[in-house]
Amino acid sequence: MKKSIKVLVMTLAMLLVLGLMAACGGGNDNNDAPADTTTPAATDAPATPAPADTTDVEPAGIDLSETVTITVTRRGGARDVNQHDYFAEYVLERFNVIFEVTDIPNADYITRMNLMFASGDEDHVSIAHRPDFMLNDWVEQGHLRGFTRQELEMLMPNYIEHWNEVGPDVWDIVWNTIMHSDGLAYYLPHRRPHAMNMSWMYRADLFEELNLEFPDTIDELIPILHQLQAHTGGFPIVEADPDGPIWAFQGWMQIFGMPELGARDLSMIHPVTGEFEPYIFTTDAFRRYTSFLNYLHDSGLMWPEFITGTAEQRNSLQSRNNRFVQWGWPEQIPTIQNELSQEYDPNARWEWATVMLTEDPANGHFFKRDPFHTADGVGISIDAPDYVVERWFYFMNWLYSDEGMTFNSFGIEGTHFEWVGDERHFLDHMTNPADPGGYGLVNFGFVSMAGGLHHPDINRVYRPWMIDLHNTFYGRDNYFFHLAPIMRFTAEETRELAQIQTLLNQTRDEYFSRFIVGQIDINNDAHWQEYIDTMNALGLDRFKEIRSAAFERSN
């Protein structure tokens, strides 16, 4: 199989040379892009860089005379194709490809994939692989096809260029992130269309009514929460998550210098000191964070049912004049946050804050810089025939051209979008991020084979607040963001870590909840030591040892 991959790559490389000689033009005339974001220091470049004004590389001479059927697994509910299927029509005419797509509900994805792998009935391609969905297990079991860096750079030059538009070293970072311990990549994520999409949000109407400003520190936040509670009689903080309290309060971790995605990453590189911490949930910062949440609970500032509460209960409370400060997505302000709060007060108005809360300004303010790439990515079955792989990469390389991104994001000119000046705008019958009414591309059969890949006009036209977020926080003095540490594990390490990690996280969740509600005292040294001793007995030292060693050899 490896020999056939090399033959395929050599063939496409020869075709690529011809394609470079007769390449089709593309790109956008805006060449601004963020500077190198590999260092903790932030940049002040635009949040959603347009594609560089370079030539899109489309290999010429690939034989498209035979119709190729490519089976694709997609994670999500069944698509409602209730209009003319322009997607199938276009890709058949342009690439002579028929995509047969299997839609798997989110909750069933891992189970269904395991069954398909076990029976040998997996599709040629899955567009929903991600590391936390058993990716490493399926790689080690031999179900997926791996590629070297050189192979990918030959097969998908537009994909590589797409990363390099962000900064000169970003493809290096992404490659080191997705590379397996054997030196191959088995899944290909996509570049996010934005650098930042979350912030602190607050009930601006109440703050104005009480002559308050959103605070910089938790010492300033606490009296404000008391004022809001006295004024409304409601809980200022209401959080709940189906995956438990660790996830419900994940944004609050940043106040204490930990990453917002700490519940997923478990480890961190401190943005200021550069120190590596293999397990953040036994650190002094985690203890201070938990103590703060315990104070909110004991002071009655936080909804007490956060352990078992549901999103429906949280939303119901918000619609009854609770929840005045939260970490979340500004995109949801008009469509969710305002609508919920206006059920009680028609004048309710949410805004996103232009500061990031911190425990101590001397230690810095921390914000969430989105990962360079999406969580989901493409994985190719080890059993996919070479002719399928060839046609798939030909299609994907085009999808990362300006023309392909336009098709993926806006559809077909005159049918789904029109030009307004030098920008693409959806036609009136289409839905868009600013107006959820109308038809979506999915109704016309479109399948986003590169989930998260958006043309820059999407943000420039419909999500300008994302650019405002970036300009507000990037490059700001004493503001920092986390980058997830790169760690590659051997198969043996992966198996050992999985066993320990399950025990550690289950115990962490139990103690975290008990600390917050005061069943045990987070501020009591003996109780805190009991927690540490329990974690050590479950293998914490070994867990940290493996992760530290993997970090050292991967960086």
PDB file of all heavy atoms in Angstrom, residues 132 263-267 279 489 494-508 535 538-540 543 547:
ATOM      1  N   ASP A 132      -9.923  13.572  19.529  1.00  0.00           N
ATOM      2  CA  ASP A 132     -10.659  13.090  20.696  1.00  0.00           C
ATOM      3  C   ASP A 132     -11.786  12.132  20.320  1.00  0.00           C
ATOM      4  O   ASP A 132     -12.563  11.730  21.186  1.00  0.00           O
ATOM      5  CB  ASP A 132     -11.206  14.262  21.520  1.00  0.00           C
ATOM      6  CG  ASP A 132     -11.917  15.312  20.683  1.00  0.00           C
ATOM      7  OD1 ASP A 132     -11.550  15.477  19.523  1.00  0.00           O
ATOM      8  OD2 ASP A 132     -12.832  15.981  21.211  1.00  0.00           O
ATOM      9  N   ALA A 263      -9.960  21.787  29.751  1.00  0.00           N
ATOM     10  CA  ALA A 263     -10.632  20.507  29.977  1.00  0.00           C
ATOM     11  C   ALA A 263     -10.343  19.525  28.858  1.00  0.00           C
ATOM     12  O   ALA A 263     -10.401  18.312  29.066  1.00  0.00           O
ATOM     13  CB  ALA A 263     -12.140  20.731  30.106  1.00  0.00           C
ATOM     14  N   ARG A 264     -10.024  20.028  27.681  1.00  0.00           N
ATOM     15  CA  ARG A 264      -9.663  19.167  26.556  1.00  0.00           C
ATOM     16  C   ARG A 264      -8.156  18.904  26.525  1.00  0.00           C
ATOM     17  O   ARG A 264      -7.715  17.771  26.331  1.00  0.00           O
ATOM     18  CB  ARG A 264     -10.083  19.816  25.234  1.00  0.00           C
ATOM     19  CG  ARG A 264      -9.824  18.974  24.005  1.00  0.00           C
ATOM     20  CD  ARG A 264      -9.851  19.817  22.733  1.00  0.00           C
ATOM     21  NE  ARG A 264      -8.681  20.715  22.657  1.00  0.00           N
ATOM     22  CZ  ARG A 264      -8.493  21.602  21.671  1.00  0.00           C
ATOM     23  NH1 ARG A 264      -9.392  21.736  20.736  1.00  0.00           N
ATOM     24  NH2 ARG A 264      -7.413  22.362  21.675  1.00  0.00           N
ATOM     25  N   ASP A 265      -7.359  19.968  26.702  1.00  0.00           N
ATOM     26  CA  ASP A 265      -5.913  19.853  26.528  1.00  0.00           C
ATOM     27  C   ASP A 265      -5.218  19.229  27.736  1.00  0.00           C
ATOM     28  O   ASP A 265      -4.177  18.590  27.594  1.00  0.00           O
ATOM     29  CB  ASP A 265      -5.300  21.230  26.251  1.00  0.00           C
ATOM     30  CG  ASP A 265      -5.786  21.821  24.936  1.00  0.00           C
ATOM     31  OD1 ASP A 265      -6.254  21.033  24.083  1.00  0.00           O
ATOM     32  OD2 ASP A 265      -5.716  23.047  24.775  1.00  0.00           O
ATOM     33  N   LEU A 266      -5.727  19.483  28.932  1.00  0.00           N
ATOM     34  CA  LEU A 266      -5.192  18.968  30.197  1.00  0.00           C
ATOM     35  C   LEU A 266      -3.829  19.573  30.558  1.00  0.00           C
ATOM     36  O   LEU A 266      -3.530  19.795  31.730  1.00  0.00           O
ATOM     37  CB  LEU A 266      -5.084  17.441  30.190  1.00  0.00           C
ATOM     38  CG  LEU A 266      -6.375  16.689  29.850  1.00  0.00           C
ATOM     39  CD1 LEU A 266      -6.122  15.182  29.891  1.00  0.00           C
ATOM     40  CD2 LEU A 266      -7.508  17.065  30.780  1.00  0.00           C
ATOM     41  N   SER A 267      -2.997  19.815  29.575  1.00  0.00           N
ATOM     42  CA  SER A 267      -1.672  20.405  29.773  1.00  0.00           C
ATOM     43  C   SER A 267      -1.679  21.834  29.231  1.00  0.00           C
ATOM     44  O   SER A 267      -2.608  22.248  28.529  1.00  0.00           O
ATOM     45  CB  SER A 267      -0.600  19.590  29.056  1.00  0.00           C
ATOM     46  OG  SER A 267      -0.602  18.240  29.473  1.00  0.00           O
ATOM     47  N   TYR A 279      -0.272  18.713  33.796  1.00  0.00           N
ATOM     48  CA  TYR A 279      -1.657  18.495  34.234  1.00  0.00           C
ATOM     49  C   TYR A 279      -2.087  19.690  35.069  1.00  0.00           C
ATOM     50  O   TYR A 279      -1.641  19.866  36.201  1.00  0.00           O
ATOM     51  CB  TYR A 279      -1.790  17.206  35.042  1.00  0.00           C
ATOM     52  CG  TYR A 279      -3.239  16.776  35.267  1.00  0.00           C
ATOM     53  CD1 TYR A 279      -4.003  16.281  34.214  1.00  0.00           C
ATOM     54  CD2 TYR A 279      -3.832  16.862  36.523  1.00  0.00           C
ATOM     55  CE1 TYR A 279      -5.327  15.882  34.408  1.00  0.00           C
ATOM     56  CE2 TYR A 279      -5.150  16.459  36.735  1.00  0.00           C
ATOM     57  CZ  TYR A 279      -5.890  15.972  35.672  1.00  0.00           C
ATOM     58  OH  TYR A 279      -7.190  15.580  35.864  1.00  0.00           O
ATOM     59  N   PHE A 489       2.600  10.852  21.002  1.00  0.00           N
ATOM     60  CA  PHE A 489       2.769   9.699  21.881  1.00  0.00           C
ATOM     61  C   PHE A 489       2.944   8.420  21.067  1.00  0.00           C
ATOM     62  O   PHE A 489       2.408   8.293  19.965  1.00  0.00           O
ATOM     63  CB  PHE A 489       1.539   9.549  22.788  1.00  0.00           C
ATOM     64  CG  PHE A 489       1.217  10.766  23.603  1.00  0.00           C
ATOM     65  CD1 PHE A 489       0.178  11.606  23.242  1.00  0.00           C
ATOM     66  CD2 PHE A 489       1.969  11.083  24.728  1.00  0.00           C
ATOM     67  CE1 PHE A 489      -0.123  12.728  23.987  1.00  0.00           C
ATOM     68  CE2 PHE A 489       1.678  12.209  25.480  1.00  0.00           C
ATOM     69  CZ  PHE A 489       0.629  13.035  25.110  1.00  0.00           C
ATOM     70  N   THR A 494       0.015   5.951  24.468  1.00  0.00           N
ATOM     71  CA  THR A 494      -1.390   6.301  24.279  1.00  0.00           C
ATOM     72  C   THR A 494      -2.291   5.392  25.087  1.00  0.00           C
ATOM     73  O   THR A 494      -3.238   5.850  25.747  1.00  0.00           O
ATOM     74  CB  THR A 494      -1.766   6.222  22.784  1.00  0.00           C
ATOM     75  OG1 THR A 494      -0.968   7.163  22.046  1.00  0.00           O
ATOM     76  CG2 THR A 494      -3.238   6.527  22.573  1.00  0.00           C
ATOM     77  N   ARG A 495      -2.007   4.088  25.062  1.00  0.00           N
ATOM     78  CA  ARG A 495      -2.828   3.148  25.823  1.00  0.00           C
ATOM     79  C   ARG A 495      -2.692   3.383  27.324  1.00  0.00           C
ATOM     80  O   ARG A 495      -3.693   3.374  28.057  1.00  0.00           O
ATOM     81  CB  ARG A 495      -2.432   1.712  25.463  1.00  0.00           C
ATOM     82  CG  ARG A 495      -2.880   1.269  24.069  1.00  0.00           C
ATOM     83  CD  ARG A 495      -2.677  -0.221  23.888  1.00  0.00           C
ATOM     84  NE  ARG A 495      -1.263  -0.563  23.831  1.00  0.00           N
ATOM     85  CZ  ARG A 495      -0.543  -0.598  22.717  1.00  0.00           C
ATOM     86  NH1 ARG A 495      -1.113  -0.319  21.552  1.00  0.00           N
ATOM     87  NH2 ARG A 495       0.735  -0.927  22.736  1.00  0.00           N
ATOM     88  N   GLU A 496      -1.467   3.615  27.786  1.00  0.00           N
ATOM     89  CA  GLU A 496      -1.262   3.821  29.230  1.00  0.00           C
ATOM     90  C   GLU A 496      -1.910   5.118  29.690  1.00  0.00           C
ATOM     91  O   GLU A 496      -2.550   5.169  30.749  1.00  0.00           O
ATOM     92  CB  GLU A 496       0.234   3.820  29.548  1.00  0.00           C
ATOM     93  CG  GLU A 496       0.530   3.885  31.040  1.00  0.00           C
ATOM     94  CD  GLU A 496       2.010   3.752  31.363  1.00  0.00           C
ATOM     95  OE1 GLU A 496       2.823   3.650  30.411  1.00  0.00           O
ATOM     96  OE2 GLU A 496       2.353   3.770  32.562  1.00  0.00           O
ATOM     97  N   LEU A 497      -1.760   6.172  28.899  1.00  0.00           N
ATOM     98  CA  LEU A 497      -2.360   7.449  29.265  1.00  0.00           C
ATOM     99  C   LEU A 497      -3.880   7.362  29.330  1.00  0.00           C
ATOM    100  O   LEU A 497      -4.508   7.957  30.221  1.00  0.00           O
ATOM    101  CB  LEU A 497      -1.954   8.525  28.256  1.00  0.00           C
ATOM    102  CG  LEU A 497      -0.560   9.121  28.394  1.00  0.00           C
ATOM    103  CD1 LEU A 497      -0.271  10.046  27.223  1.00  0.00           C
ATOM    104  CD2 LEU A 497      -0.417   9.885  29.713  1.00  0.00           C
ATOM    105  N   ALA A 498      -4.476   6.637  28.393  1.00  0.00           N
ATOM    106  CA  ALA A 498      -5.933   6.554  28.341  1.00  0.00           C
ATOM    107  C   ALA A 498      -6.490   5.963  29.634  1.00  0.00           C
ATOM    108  O   ALA A 498      -7.500   6.437  30.170  1.00  0.00           O
ATOM    109  CB  ALA A 498      -6.373   5.726  27.143  1.00  0.00           C
ATOM    110  N   GLN A 499      -5.823   4.947  30.136  1.00  0.00           N
ATOM    111  CA  GLN A 499      -6.284   4.311  31.377  1.00  0.00           C
ATOM    112  C   GLN A 499      -6.161   5.264  32.557  1.00  0.00           C
ATOM    113  O   GLN A 499      -7.090   5.402  33.362  1.00  0.00           O
ATOM    114  CB  GLN A 499      -5.485   3.036  31.633  1.00  0.00           C
ATOM    115  CG  GLN A 499      -5.697   1.945  30.584  1.00  0.00           C
ATOM    116  CD  GLN A 499      -4.781   0.751  30.792  1.00  0.00           C
ATOM    117  OE1 GLN A 499      -3.869   0.794  31.620  1.00  0.00           O
ATOM    118  NE2 GLN A 499      -5.017  -0.311  30.050  1.00  0.00           N
ATOM    119  N   ILE A 500      -5.031   5.946  32.653  1.00  0.00           N
ATOM    120  CA  ILE A 500      -4.819   6.856  33.783  1.00  0.00           C
ATOM    121  C   ILE A 500      -5.723   8.074  33.662  1.00  0.00           C
ATOM    122  O   ILE A 500      -6.319   8.531  34.648  1.00  0.00           O
ATOM    123  CB  ILE A 500      -3.338   7.289  33.861  1.00  0.00           C
ATOM    124  CG1 ILE A 500      -2.428   6.076  34.009  1.00  0.00           C
ATOM    125  CG2 ILE A 500      -3.131   8.253  35.025  1.00  0.00           C
ATOM    126  CD1 ILE A 500      -0.941   6.414  33.947  1.00  0.00           C
ATOM    127  N   GLN A 501      -5.817   8.617  32.451  1.00  0.00           N
ATOM    128  CA  GLN A 501      -6.565   9.862  32.247  1.00  0.00           C
ATOM    129  C   GLN A 501      -8.023   9.715  32.653  1.00  0.00           C
ATOM    130  O   GLN A 501      -8.602  10.622  33.265  1.00  0.00           O
ATOM    131  CB  GLN A 501      -6.467  10.283  30.785  1.00  0.00           C
ATOM    132  CG  GLN A 501      -7.198  11.573  30.457  1.00  0.00           C
ATOM    133  CD  GLN A 501      -6.939  12.004  29.022  1.00  0.00           C
ATOM    134  OE1 GLN A 501      -5.809  11.955  28.543  1.00  0.00           O
ATOM    135  NE2 GLN A 501      -7.990  12.417  28.325  1.00  0.00           N
ATOM    136  N   THR A 502      -8.631   8.601  32.325  1.00  0.00           N
ATOM    137  CA  THR A 502     -10.024   8.387  32.695  1.00  0.00           C
ATOM    138  C   THR A 502     -10.205   8.459  34.205  1.00  0.00           C
ATOM    139  O   THR A 502     -11.126   9.130  34.706  1.00  0.00           O
ATOM    140  CB  THR A 502     -10.514   7.029  32.170  1.00  0.00           C
ATOM    141  OG1 THR A 502     -10.422   7.017  30.744  1.00  0.00           O
ATOM    142  CG2 THR A 502     -11.950   6.772  32.590  1.00  0.00           C
ATOM    143  N   LEU A 503      -9.323   7.810  34.931  1.00  0.00           N
ATOM    144  CA  LEU A 503      -9.413   7.821  36.402  1.00  0.00           C
ATOM    145  C   LEU A 503      -9.155   9.218  36.962  1.00  0.00           C
ATOM    146  O   LEU A 503      -9.861   9.687  37.857  1.00  0.00           O
ATOM    147  CB  LEU A 503      -8.418   6.825  36.990  1.00  0.00           C
ATOM    148  CG  LEU A 503      -8.663   5.342  36.676  1.00  0.00           C
ATOM    149  CD1 LEU A 503      -7.514   4.494  37.180  1.00  0.00           C
ATOM    150  CD2 LEU A 503      -9.981   4.885  37.292  1.00  0.00           C
ATOM    151  N   LEU A 504      -8.147   9.893  36.423  1.00  0.00           N
ATOM    152  CA  LEU A 504      -7.822  11.227  36.918  1.00  0.00           C
ATOM    153  C   LEU A 504      -8.976  12.197  36.692  1.00  0.00           C
ATOM    154  O   LEU A 504      -9.355  12.947  37.608  1.00  0.00           O
ATOM    155  CB  LEU A 504      -6.565  11.756  36.229  1.00  0.00           C
ATOM    156  CG  LEU A 504      -5.236  11.096  36.568  1.00  0.00           C
ATOM    157  CD1 LEU A 504      -4.101  11.764  35.786  1.00  0.00           C
ATOM    158  CD2 LEU A 504      -4.941  11.172  38.065  1.00  0.00           C
ATOM    159  N   ASN A 505      -9.525  12.191  35.502  1.00  0.00           N
ATOM    160  CA  ASN A 505     -10.573  13.165  35.191  1.00  0.00           C
ATOM    161  C   ASN A 505     -11.870  12.876  35.935  1.00  0.00           C
ATOM    162  O   ASN A 505     -12.584  13.800  36.330  1.00  0.00           O
ATOM    163  CB  ASN A 505     -10.803  13.221  33.685  1.00  0.00           C
ATOM    164  CG  ASN A 505      -9.666  13.909  32.955  1.00  0.00           C
ATOM    165  OD1 ASN A 505      -8.807  14.542  33.566  1.00  0.00           O
ATOM    166  ND2 ASN A 505      -9.660  13.798  31.638  1.00  0.00           N
ATOM    167  N   GLN A 506     -12.187  11.608  36.126  1.00  0.00           N
ATOM    168  CA  GLN A 506     -13.370  11.283  36.918  1.00  0.00           C
ATOM    169  C   GLN A 506     -13.216  11.773  38.356  1.00  0.00           C
ATOM    170  O   GLN A 506     -14.147  12.354  38.930  1.00  0.00           O
ATOM    171  CB  GLN A 506     -13.620   9.778  36.898  1.00  0.00           C
ATOM    172  CG  GLN A 506     -14.139   9.241  35.572  1.00  0.00           C
ATOM    173  CD  GLN A 506     -14.242   7.732  35.556  1.00  0.00           C
ATOM    174  OE1 GLN A 506     -13.686   7.036  36.419  1.00  0.00           O
ATOM    175  NE2 GLN A 506     -14.959   7.205  34.564  1.00  0.00           N
ATOM    176  N   THR A 507     -12.030  11.553  38.917  1.00  0.00           N
ATOM    177  CA  THR A 507     -11.777  11.993  40.290  1.00  0.00           C
ATOM    178  C   THR A 507     -11.718  13.514  40.371  1.00  0.00           C
ATOM    179  O   THR A 507     -12.231  14.125  41.321  1.00  0.00           O
ATOM    180  CB  THR A 507     -10.462  11.373  40.798  1.00  0.00           C
ATOM    181  OG1 THR A 507     -10.534   9.959  40.667  1.00  0.00           O
ATOM    182  CG2 THR A 507     -10.215  11.742  42.253  1.00  0.00           C
ATOM    183  N   ARG A 508     -11.086  14.135  39.396  1.00  0.00           N
ATOM    184  CA  ARG A 508     -11.064  15.606  39.336  1.00  0.00           C
ATOM    185  C   ARG A 508     -12.470  16.174  39.355  1.00  0.00           C
ATOM    186  O   ARG A 508     -12.775  17.119  40.102  1.00  0.00           O
ATOM    187  CB  ARG A 508     -10.343  16.041  38.067  1.00  0.00           C
ATOM    188  CG  ARG A 508     -10.412  17.532  37.763  1.00  0.00           C
ATOM    189  CD  ARG A 508     -10.250  17.781  36.275  1.00  0.00           C
ATOM    190  NE  ARG A 508     -11.348  17.214  35.484  1.00  0.00           N
ATOM    191  CZ  ARG A 508     -11.338  17.116  34.160  1.00  0.00           C
ATOM    192  NH1 ARG A 508     -10.271  17.513  33.475  1.00  0.00           N
ATOM    193  NH2 ARG A 508     -12.378  16.607  33.517  1.00  0.00           N
ATOM    194  N   MET A 535      -5.148  11.746  43.700  1.00  0.00           N
ATOM    195  CA  MET A 535      -4.731  11.779  42.293  1.00  0.00           C
ATOM    196  C   MET A 535      -3.395  11.058  42.098  1.00  0.00           C
ATOM    197  O   MET A 535      -3.206  10.332  41.112  1.00  0.00           O
ATOM    198  CB  MET A 535      -4.636  13.227  41.827  1.00  0.00           C
ATOM    199  CG  MET A 535      -5.965  13.986  41.859  1.00  0.00           C
ATOM    200  SD  MET A 535      -7.157  13.399  40.640  1.00  0.00           S
ATOM    201  CE  MET A 535      -6.687  14.409  39.228  1.00  0.00           C
ATOM    202  N   LEU A 538      -3.722   7.409  41.835  1.00  0.00           N
ATOM    203  CA  LEU A 538      -4.322   6.960  40.577  1.00  0.00           C
ATOM    204  C   LEU A 538      -3.357   7.028  39.401  1.00  0.00           C
ATOM    205  O   LEU A 538      -3.722   6.674  38.270  1.00  0.00           O
ATOM    206  CB  LEU A 538      -5.567   7.799  40.264  1.00  0.00           C
ATOM    207  CG  LEU A 538      -6.726   7.673  41.253  1.00  0.00           C
ATOM    208  CD1 LEU A 538      -7.823   8.670  40.924  1.00  0.00           C
ATOM    209  CD2 LEU A 538      -7.280   6.247  41.252  1.00  0.00           C
ATOM    210  N   GLY A 539      -2.129   7.503  39.664  1.00  0.00           N
ATOM    211  CA  GLY A 539      -1.139   7.517  38.606  1.00  0.00           C
ATOM    212  C   GLY A 539      -0.788   8.896  38.078  1.00  0.00           C
ATOM    213  O   GLY A 539      -0.263   9.020  36.960  1.00  0.00           O
ATOM    214  N   LEU A 540      -1.061   9.961  38.850  1.00  0.00           N
ATOM    215  CA  LEU A 540      -0.787  11.322  38.388  1.00  0.00           C
ATOM    216  C   LEU A 540       0.679  11.506  38.020  1.00  0.00           C
ATOM    217  O   LEU A 540       0.997  12.095  36.976  1.00  0.00           O
ATOM    218  CB  LEU A 540      -1.192  12.333  39.467  1.00  0.00           C
ATOM    219  CG  LEU A 540      -0.845  13.796  39.179  1.00  0.00           C
ATOM    220  CD1 LEU A 540      -1.580  14.290  37.941  1.00  0.00           C
ATOM    221  CD2 LEU A 540      -1.176  14.667  40.401  1.00  0.00           C
ATOM    222  N   PHE A 543       1.376   9.908  34.709  1.00  0.00           N
ATOM    223  CA  PHE A 543       0.713  10.682  33.676  1.00  0.00           C
ATOM    224  C   PHE A 543       1.547  11.902  33.311  1.00  0.00           C
ATOM    225  O   PHE A 543       1.788  12.189  32.125  1.00  0.00           O
ATOM    226  CB  PHE A 543      -0.674  11.108  34.172  1.00  0.00           C
ATOM    227  CG  PHE A 543      -1.504  11.858  33.170  1.00  0.00           C
ATOM    228  CD1 PHE A 543      -2.326  11.178  32.281  1.00  0.00           C
ATOM    229  CD2 PHE A 543      -1.469  13.250  33.120  1.00  0.00           C
ATOM    230  CE1 PHE A 543      -3.099  11.874  31.362  1.00  0.00           C
ATOM    231  CE2 PHE A 543      -2.231  13.951  32.207  1.00  0.00           C
ATOM    232  CZ  PHE A 543      -3.057  13.259  31.330  1.00  0.00           C
ATOM    233  N   ARG A 547       3.593  12.669  29.685  1.00  0.00           N
ATOM    234  CA  ARG A 547       3.277  13.889  28.934  1.00  0.00           C
ATOM    235  C   ARG A 547       4.496  14.815  28.850  1.00  0.00           C
ATOM    236  O   ARG A 547       4.728  15.448  27.808  1.00  0.00           O
ATOM    237  CB  ARG A 547       2.101  14.622  29.577  1.00  0.00           C
ATOM    238  CG  ARG A 547       0.763  13.932  29.315  1.00  0.00           C
ATOM    239  CD  ARG A 547      -0.393  14.894  29.344  1.00  0.00           C
ATOM    240  NE  ARG A 547      -1.467  14.431  28.461  1.00  0.00           N
ATOM    241  CZ  ARG A 547      -2.312  15.210  27.839  1.00  0.00           C
ATOM    242  NH1 ARG A 547      -2.214  16.522  27.959  1.00  0.00           N
ATOM    243  NH2 ARG A 547      -3.254  14.723  27.057  1.00  0.00           N
TER     244      ARG A 547
END
